């Protein structure tokens, strides 16, 4: 079993910053790609940013230059630093990880989600 636990969401004013964290735990041999997705009310879940185990990153156009994804491989943790937040960033943010387990299974695991609300 693999669990992802997120933290760091909350309410912030437009222009402010938040930092999300997501830690993977359980029967983990290694973690490959990790990422953040978000889902606003009435909309489909969308990619925000991803990062490979070697540190290569990919961002949605809407967050480029404002959000930074990073990770700590030793702690199986991924972070999302969000700056210059806008009202349209309001959503539930989910972390995602491609995990290789101790019995060599590959699992795509999701966190429970953390609410980010940006007031204008």
């Amino acid at each position: 079993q693999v669990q992802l636990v997120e933290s760091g969401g909350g309410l912030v004013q437009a222009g402010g910053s938040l930092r999300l964290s997501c830690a993977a735990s359980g029967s983990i041999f290694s973690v490959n790609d990790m990422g953040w997705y978000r889902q606003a009310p009435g909309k489909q879940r969308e990619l925000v940013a991803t990062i490979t185990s070697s540190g290569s990153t990919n961002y949605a156009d809407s967050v480029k230059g404002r959000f930074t994804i990073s990770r700590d491989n030793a702690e199986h943790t991924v972070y999302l630093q969000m700056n210059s937040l806008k009202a349209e960033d309001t959503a539930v943010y989910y972390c995602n990880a491609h995990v290789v387990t101790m019995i060599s299974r590959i699992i795509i695991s999701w966190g429970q989600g953390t609410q980010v609300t940006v007031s204008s």
Side-chain angles (χ1 to χ4, degrees), residues 8 29 93 102 104 116:
F29 176 75
Y93 284 70
M102 296 300 285
S104 299
V116 171

Side-chain angles (χ1 to χ4, degrees), residues 31-59:
V31 181
N32 296 332
D33 292 1
M34 303 185 81
W36 290 95
Y37 293 72
R38 67 187 181 186
Q39 187 167 17
K43 295 188 177 181
Q44 290 187 331
R45 190 174 297 189
E46 63 177 3
L47 180 146
V48 176
T50 61
I51 184 168
T52 67
S53 57
S54 60
S56 295
T57 59
N58 178 56
Y59 295 93

Side-chain angles (χ1 to χ4, degrees), residues 6-103:
E6 299 147 347
S7 60
L11 173 65
V12 64
Q13 289 188 331
S17 298
L18 282 175
R19 189 188 193 214
L20 306 183
S21 300
C22 174
S25 63
S27 181
I28 297 172
F29 176 75
S30 66
V31 181
N32 296 332
D33 292 1
M34 303 185 81
W36 290 95
Y37 293 72
R38 67 187 181 186
Q39 187 167 17
K43 295 188 177 181
Q44 290 187 331
R45 190 174 297 189
E46 63 177 3
L47 180 146
V48 176
T50 61
I51 184 168
T52 67
S53 57
S54 60
S56 295
T57 59
N58 178 56
Y59 295 93
D61 288 342
S62 59
V63 307
K64 282 180 181 176
R66 300 188 298 121
F67 291 10
T68 302
I69 189 171
S70 60
R71 63 187 287 171
D72 182 332
N73 287 334
E75 299 295 328
H76 302 318
T77 299
V78 63
Y79 305 96
L80 186 69
Q81 178 66 43
M82 304 184 293
N83 298 329
S84 302
L85 282 160
K86 304 175 181 180
E88 52 263 44
D89 295 318
T90 295
V92 178
Y93 284 70
Y94 299 89
C95 71
N96 167 276
H98 293 213
V99 177
V100 180
T101 70
M102 296 300 285
I103 56 170

